Amino acid sequence: DGWEDRDDCTVVEIPGDCIGYITGARRATLGLMEAEWGVLMFFMSKAEDKGRGRGVAEKLIILGPQRGRRGAELKVMSGVETKNPGIFTRNVRDKVSDLKGFDTDR
């Protein structure tokens, strides 16, 4: 709890049918992305969320420097789009951001 107030983490909502694909066998896919981008990633789930069944989205938290977090976030989003097209790209419109540095349309 309290991750919303931190500036060193990024959270991506992963659909339930994509969690295994993003995690990989024995966490291999997440481990490769962590090594590539220099970040730490894990799924956040509360005790009451466990056992709710497949299809329930989970939050993936990405910790580390901003550039690494953004790279890992985009790679995860790309993986979700590969497995389930349209999750992040459906209804995307042109957008301009006032933020300095990186920004992502969502």
Side-chain angles (χ1 to χ4, degrees), residues 17 30 36 40 53-54 64 72 77 95-97 102:
D17 61 342
L30 275 183
E36 178 181 1
L40 174 65
R54 293 185 69 141
M77 290 170 69
K95 179 180 172 185
V96 176
S97 175
F102 301 105

Side-chain angles (χ1 to χ4, degrees), residues 41-92:
M41 299 191 289
F42 56 90
F43 284 96
M44 299 187 296
S45 57
K46 297 179 180 173
E48 62 267 17
D49 294 339
K50 296 223 185 245
R52 284 176 49 192
R54 293 185 69 141
V56 177
E58 287 194 33
K59 290 178 173 58
L60 176 70
I61 189 166
I62 306 170
L63 301 155
Q66 183 183 26
R67 181 177 173 84
R69 287 194 327 263
R70 186 52 45 115
E73 176 187 16
L74 292 172
K75 191 148 190 173
V76 166
M77 290 170 69
S78 174
V80 169
E81 281 292 315
T82 298
K83 174 80 169 138
N84 197 341
I87 293 294
F88 294 110
T89 57
R90 189 176 304 122
N91 300 323
V92 172

